Amino acid sequence: MNLDEIDKNKLPSHVAIIMDGNGRWAKNKSKSRLVGHQKGAETVDEIVTVAAELQISYMTLYAFSTENWHRPQPEVSGLMDLLVNMLNKYIKKLHDNNIRLLVIGETDSLPPKTRKKLADSIKKLQQNTGLTLILALSYSSRWEITEMVKSVAQECLDSQMNVKDINQHVVSQFLCTKNIPDPELLIRTSGEYRISNFLLWQLAYTEFYFTDVLWPDFNRQDFLKAIVDFQKRERRFGKTGEQLNK
Ligand code: IPE
Ligand code: IPE
Ligand code: MG
């Protein structure tokens, strides 16, 4: 499969990925889980590069969930260090590829070193106009929705808003993904069929693509295959197929 097989006029504007299977990949090779995460980081580079090449507008990567804080401490700190190392290694390439960086999640709980590196990287890339890469870090959808409810309630208490004015648009504006279009395609690797607390509101009409490939083995070809699969789907949004094909 190559880029010619992709219909450039039917690209998903936003692809979200649950990058799963690093631990199992390492286990299969009798390596430590961190080796799996390191290999997974190389996959991130490959997939972000092809997304930028395809001129996809947004890509959200689930890199660390709220629940992942409950993993063994050495794995958690290893992942935090890996993130800093990755940003050091790839910042120039991200910039050269005109990629902008955003982060969603409870970033206050990240270690100061990671927070600083993220803030510096976001700043360096903020004027870029190509792919927007969104890292979900210390993110969970129930956390995000709870924060949204708190903010909306506070606006009402402060008389900035009337309860009757709350609608879907208002809700979206109080989520971390404010002003970012909903994902059109969600990919989850490693043969797990669940959402794991990712973008529950935003995935309402997203097309799901599951593959057994473990994230460290996932490559450009696998990504293109997912895009081609997406392009064959009929997205009806509640209407009938006949209405769409009129
Ligand atoms: C995904 O791989 C990476 C993170 C959740 C940080 P896992 O570490 O979950 O890999 P498995 O599911 O144990 O194979
Ligand atoms: C989801 O993967 C979170 C990330 C990919 C960062 P997990 O491996 O943590 O998901 P569960 O716990 O198996 O559902
Ligand atoms: Mg997993």
Side-chain angles (χ1 to χ4, degrees):
M1 185 161 301
N2 55 47
L3 288 188
D4 302 343
E5 289 179 57
I6 308 275
D7 181 350
K8 286 270 190 177
N9 298 315
K10 267 180 89 177
L11 283 172
S13 59
H14 184 173
V15 180
I17 308 184
I18 302 178
M19 313 180 288
D20 200 9
N22 295 351
R24 278 162 285 165
W25 182 92
K27 196 167 183 205
N28 292 343
K29 298 196 150 35
S30 309
K31 301 234 161 76
S32 78
R33 294 182 60 87
L34 275 173
V35 173
H37 294 315
Q38 275 156 6
K39 186 70 176 36
E42 289 172 29
T43 305
V44 171
D45 170 43
E46 182 167 340
I47 300 309
V48 168
T49 304
V50 56
E53 217 175 296
L54 278 170
Q55 294 181 310
I56 287 174
S57 303
Y58 297 89
M59 171 167 270
T60 301
L61 300 178
Y62 203 6
F64 193 86
S65 72
T66 305
E67 289 73 22
N68 290 149
W69 288 114
H70 302 300
R71 292 196 177 190
Q73 205 279 327
E75 180 169 351
V76 170
S77 49
L79 280 164
M80 295 300 145
D81 290 345
L82 179 61
L83 184 64
V84 173
N85 295 341
M86 282 283 288
L87 287 169
N88 282 332
K89 184 168 175 195
Y90 290 111
I91 190 78
K92 183 171 182 308
K93 184 169 174 188
L94 290 169
H95 200 33
D96 290 347
N97 285 339
N98 197 20
I99 295 171
R100 180 168 75 119
L101 182 68
L102 298 176
V103 173
I104 56 170
E106 197 174 15
T107 43
D108 288 353
S109 43
L110 298 170
K113 205 170 87 182
T114 312
R115 271 201 331 250
K116 166 117 183 37
K117 181 48 66 186
L118 281 166
D120 291 349
S121 308
I122 289 169
K123 193 154 175 239
K124 182 158 171 45
L125 305 173
Q126 69 185 352
Q127 303 294 347
N128 290 342
T129 54
L131 172 72
T132 298
L133 174 64
I134 303 148
L135 296 179
L137 282 169
S138 190
Y139 173 87
S140 75
S141 206
R142 288 184 176 181
W143 164 80
E144 177 187 40
I145 289 171
T146 307
E147 290 303 302
M148 175 273 293
V149 171
K150 286 198 266 186
S151 305
V152 171
Q154 193 63 53
E155 291 269 312
C156 293
L157 283 175
D158 296 345
S159 306
Q160 300 293 317
M161 198 191 308
N162 278 316
V163 171
K164 65 173 171 32
D165 294 330
I166 300 171
N167 56 30
Q168 295 190 19
H169 177 72
V170 169
V171 169
S172 297
Q173 287 301 304
F174 280 88
L175 295 174
C176 303
T177 48
K178 176 178 175 208
N179 298 332
I180 297 169
D182 290 340
E184 293 194 283
L185 171 63
L186 171 80
I187 299 173
R188 184 171 189 150
T189 57
S190 88
E192 305 293 356
Y193 301 87
R194 54 179 178 262
I195 301 185
S196 302
N197 221 344
F198 190 42
L199 303 175
L200 300 177
W201 170 274
Q202 297 86 341
L203 295 175
Y205 257 107
T206 304
E207 296 295 328
F208 285 22
Y209 180 89
F210 296 100
T211 169
D212 287 341
V213 178
L214 302 174
W215 180 251
D217 289 327
F218 191 79
N219 62 23
R220 184 187 168 92
Q221 284 298 104
D222 298 311
F223 183 73
L224 296 180
K225 228 165 95 180
I227 301 284
V228 168
D229 192 279
F230 167 83
Q231 294 190 328
K232 289 193 195 125
R233 305 205 189 169
E234 183 176 66
R235 305 189 69 204
R236 290 191 284 275
F237 298 100
K239 295 188 178 168
T240 67
E242 288 71 26
Q243 282 178 297
L244 294 175
N245 295 318
K246 249 200 320 228

